[in-house]
Structures are given as C-alpha cells and as structure tokens.
Amino acid sequence: MTHPDSNVCDEMLLDRYLDGDVDAGERVQMEAHIAACRQCRRQVAALEAFSQNLNDRVQHAVDSVDFVALEKQVLNKALRQYRSRGGLSRFVASLKYIIPATVTAGLLLFFTYSNYVLKPPPVPSAIINSFTGSMSSVMIFETPETRQTILWYTEETDVESEPNAV
Amino acid sequence: MRYRFRCLLVVVFLTLSWFGTADSLLAQESCRISVDTILAARNDNVVDPKLKRHIGELQSMFNYTSYRLLSSESLNLSVGQSGMVSLPGDRRLKITPQRIHGSRADIALLMMKQTRTVFETQVQLLNRGNLFVGGPAYQNGNLIFKISSAY
C-alpha cells in the first residue's frame, strides 16, 4: 500500500513505519518523505525518544523485581487459600451431614440392640393363675431351656390315660 | 432444610417404633389363638415335620417316640369374645381372651368332654408363646394341645 504523493504527511503510515509494519515500497517512500519533511523527522525523533524512554523504564522496573520472592509469595498465598478452602472449611461443611448421619446410625443401633440383640432371659410361656376341675391328677411344669409351660392332667374317667408318661 | 426434615422424620419414626414395641402406645383389642392337636405315642418314630420346631424340647422330657399333628385350628378373638374348638374324643375347648396387657394375654380356658367340664383355668399367655395341655388318652397314645396366642 503506497501513498500516491510522498510529499504529503501521512500520520497513519508514519505510525506503521515506526512500528515496522510497512512493506518495502512504503518503507522507501517514508524514508524519502522523512528525509524531505522536517516535521515528520521531528515526530519520528520524538516518538523514538519516547519509545526508548519507555523501554528503559520498563527494563528498570523489571530489573527491580525479585521474581523468586514474588513467586514464593504467590505460591504461599495460593496454598493458604487452598488449605482454608479444602481443609477446615470443608470439614465444617461436611459436619451438617456427618452429625445427622451419626445420630441416625446411633438410633438405629440402639433400636436394633434393644429390640433384637438384647434378648431378655426366657420367662415362662404361660402363667397359670387358677385351675379347677375334676381330674385324678394334674401337673404343671416347664421345659428347662425355653420355659414352655406344660399342663399335664389325667381325666377321672379316663381308664386309658398314662399318668407316668412324663 | 429438606435433608434435616427427613432426618427428623427418621428420628420420630424410630422413637415411635421403639415405644410401639414397648407396648405403651397401641393397646391390642384382639388376638389370634391357635390350637394344634398332637397325638403323642410310642408305636413308631414319626415326628410331623410341622411340629419339629416346637416339639424338640418336649421330646427330651417325654418318653414318646412319635408326634403326629391331628388338627390345627385358629381363632381371631376380641377381648371378651369366646371361641370354641372341637377336639378329638368328643372334647371341646372354650377359649376367652379376657385382657391383653404388655406381652401377655389373660385367657380363660374351659375344657369339656361331652357335657362335663373337665377343667377350667385362667392363664397369662406370652405373646407368641405356647401352652402345652396334655394328658387325655386317645387311640394308642395321649393328646397334647398346643395353645398359642399372637397379637
């Protein structure tokens, strides 16, 4: 992209020339123009001086930074944030699930233990409060282990009965 | 919030279940009475498979070798209601639940043979417990009545 008249000042082209963003033809054209144009020469000189000054300051600022210490500082800060987020706070957050779950599990254990595991010693399966009748004999006893109550009687008129069955 | 509500429901359910099993909340008004008639004899070694679970301990106490289940009858009776079970040898057993409290039911039993009262008794029968009433001679052995309640 060449300018048709090299004697006319073109600021946009000048900026591109200073940035090195021109083709060979434009460079020749601008060099010819700058050589002939005092105003553009001054502008080029001023911009180059400004650019140099900026580069110097940036370089000075970069030189004054201790990157090792900065890296350490950033790492420490990141680690602190990670620990506070993933450590204690996560544990505290999980408590709202752990506590109800523990209470429920405890109640389940208590319920199961008191109703199914903790079996009371066997009691007589039946307690006979009263007994009347017309029999020749009656015995009340219970089995030794499970305490099943047994009522054994012999009818008065029962000639076939076996009183000695037990 | 919903999670906490669910937890609260579980806690309430378990608490009620526990108290429920402690028989303090729900009063029972009826019970199921079962009467199994068993013929115990010595002529062979047959034990009815249905009786094996209940007879095991009896076998060590009696000198019978065979136990046959002759009949089995169940009655659902309310408190105060009477039920009659027919038994071999022209016998009848009248059963009347009188009260249910805690783990036991007060039950009145009246054994009759023909028109005659053989015995009358009042027992406190454990829930899911058995009372074995035996003795009457029948055929070549003796009858044992297994009376059980459940509510």
Side-chain angles (χ1 to χ4, degrees):
Chain A
M1 183 177 175
T2 57
H3 200 277
D5 187 357
S6 63
N7 292 327
V8 178
C9 294
D10 185 341
E11 281 195 17
M12 287 180 65
L13 185 61
L14 184 62
D15 286 341
R16 285 171 43 222
Y17 170 75
L18 287 171
D19 291 339
D21 188 20
V22 288
D23 57 27
E26 286 173 332
R27 182 179 291 111
V28 170
Q29 179 192 336
M30 279 308 297
E31 283 171 356
H33 176 75
I34 289 166
C37 177
R38 200 170 68 179
Q39 186 184 346
C40 284
R41 264 201 314 276
R42 281 182 185 167
Q43 194 167 350
V44 167
L47 286 172
E48 281 178 346
F50 173 77
S51 178
Q52 184 62 44
N53 189 21
L54 181 65
N55 283 339
D56 290 347
R57 284 173 182 272
V58 168
Q59 189 60 45
H60 179 71
V62 168
D63 289 345
S64 65
V65 173
D66 184 354
F67 279 100
V68 176
L70 181 65
E71 185 184 5
K72 205 178 223 175
Q73 195 179 343
V74 169
L75 273 173
N76 283 338
K77 192 174 178 182
L79 276 173
R80 268 202 306 276
Q81 285 178 347
Y82 174 76
R83 281 176 188 150
S84 66
R85 195 170 53 234
L88 186 64
S89 64
R90 188 175 291 176
F91 173 72
V92 171
S94 64
L95 281 181
K96 71 177 181 181
Y97 298 106
I98 291 172
I99 290 173
T102 308
V103 170
T104 307
L107 282 170
L108 274 171
L109 274 174
F110 173 72
F111 176 75
T112 308
Y113 187 77
S114 61
N115 283 280
Y116 299 106
V117 179
L118 194 65
K119 285 183 179 172
V123 292
S125 64
I127 299 167
I128 297 175
N129 289 337
S130 65
F131 189 90
T132 55
S134 52
M135 294 150 295
S136 56
S137 69
V138 63
M139 286 186 293
I140 298 168
F141 52 100
E142 61 187 39
T143 59
E145 289 178 16
T146 57
R147 303 190 69 180
Q148 301 291 310
T149 306
I150 300 167
L151 194 158
W152 195 270
Y153 71 96
T154 308
E155 293 174 351
E156 274 182 343
T157 56
D158 200 347
V159 290
E160 297 176 85
S161 66
E162 295 189 43
N164 298 319
V166 182
Chain B
M1 188 61 123
R2 290 174 69 186
Y3 182 78
R4 285 182 187 167
F5 181 69
R6 256 181 267 159
C7 285
L8 186 66
L9 272 181
V10 170
V11 169
V12 169
F13 172 75
L14 288 174
T15 310
L16 283 177
S17 302
W18 188 72
F19 279 112
T21 53
D23 300 312
S24 57
L25 284 183
L26 301 172
Q28 296 290 332
E29 293 297 327
S30 67
C31 64
R32 183 181 181 84
I33 309 282
S34 300
V35 180
D36 293 342
T37 305
I38 302 161
L39 177 61
R42 298 191 192 89
N43 51 349
D44 53 32
N45 293 316
V46 176
V47 175
D48 195 306
K50 290 177 187 171
L51 295 173
K52 277 184 180 168
R53 194 161 64 93
H54 304 285
I55 289 298
E57 213 176 348
L58 293 186
Q59 282 180 296
S60 64
M61 302 187 70
F62 295 128
N63 54 6
Y64 298 109
T65 56
S66 74
Y67 294 87
R68 283 186 171 82
L69 182 65
L70 299 182
S71 65
S72 190
E73 197 165 342
S74 291
L75 302 169
N76 281 312
L77 297 173
S78 303
V79 169
Q81 182 188 5
S82 295
M84 192 76 80
V85 178
S86 294
L87 303 172
D90 205 11
R91 294 179 178 86
R92 285 170 297 151
L93 181 63
K94 184 181 176 187
I95 303 166
T96 311
Q98 294 177 322
R99 191 165 73 110
I100 297 170
H101 54 101
S103 59
R104 288 187 186 271
D106 288 359
I107 298 172
L109 299 172
L110 177 68
M111 179 68 83
M112 289 178 288
K113 185 174 182 180
Q114 295 171 340
T115 56
R116 179 174 65 88
T117 296
V118 179
F119 69 80
E120 191 172 357
T121 184
Q122 285 199 328
V123 299
Q124 290 181 0
L125 191 54
L126 201 63
N127 187 20
R128 301 184 189 282
N130 302 313
L131 168 66
F132 291 92
V133 178
Y138 184 74
Q139 294 180 353
N140 52 355
N142 291 81
L143 293 172
I144 299 174
F145 309 113
K146 183 170 81 71
I147 302 164
S148 52
S149 74
Y151 52 88

